[in-house]
Amino acid sequence: MKPKTFGKGCRVLILGATSGIAQALAREFARHGFELVLAGRDGEELEIIQADLRVRFGAHSDIIEFSATDFDSHPNFWQSCGEIDGVVCCFGLMHTQSEAQNDWQTAHEMIEVNYSATVSILNIAANDFEMRERGFIGILSSVAGDRGQKRNYIYGSTKAGVSTYAEGLRTRLFPSGVSVTTIKPGPVDTGMTFGLDKLPLLASPEKVASDIYRGLRRKADVVYTPAPWRIIMGLLCLVPAWLWKRSKL
């Protein structure tokens, strides 16, 4: 019988487990005695991550291949995971604004991965958790979704959609005792940001993973990471529209 509270022995599903943030988060969970289900497209890389967790922490983890945009496979995928106590959705895709605004297929790919796939799989998880009246959900959004910026508004809009989805899901599941945490990182030093210039407050995956873990543990509604982003985005959201459209952000 699995514990009903957040802690050692809980079985956590990490979706998109090969991403930089997800790998750091898997190590954070393993360090605290969680059991893990690692889900992603690259089975060989998942095996490497699994072996690393076993050597470092003696952690037990299962591997299940998962395709975010194969929507029809999501119900069977969820069933194959067995009983899950919590899920953290870490997959995502970021193309440049120039690519997305000039090529619909590029923009559509971001929408499908970042928003549609998130809603598809988490609807299934939410229904299961609501029925069992237990569980926790972490959803990786971004500070880019807090306000539309001309330099990345298509990517940002997918994350704004995720944040709104998470807020509604949180309200729906609260009476059943299921927590939903929206995670809003700033730029993180991973493959997704490699080669991009002038990234403010660039954070390590380990720092972000630690903040996520603490936020999930205390059932926070929203986690900004690093923490200064909460103040920065709060101030930016106060800028009036007439001035915002003249900014260079």
Side-chain angles (χ1 to χ4, degrees), residues 51-71:
D52 179 69
L53 295 173
R54 183 170 59 248
V55 170
R56 289 192 194 212
F57 310 106
H60 173 78
S61 60
D62 295 319
I63 290 175
I64 303 180
E65 292 194 22
F66 170 74
S67 175
T69 55
D70 184 3
F71 305 119

Side-chain angles (χ1 to χ4, degrees), residues 13-27:
L13 168 65
I14 299 180
L15 296 164
T18 60
S19 75
I21 293 175
Q23 290 186 50
L25 185 59
R27 292 192 291 270

Side-chain angles (χ1 to χ4, degrees), residues 211-233:
D211 287 346
I212 292 171
Y213 179 85
R214 291 198 303 270
L216 293 172
R217 184 179 60 191
R218 60 186 175 86
K219 300 182 179 180
D221 290 341
V222 180
V223 172
Y224 282 87
T225 175
W229 279 109
R230 182 181 295 274
I231 297 172
I232 294 169
M233 296 313 301

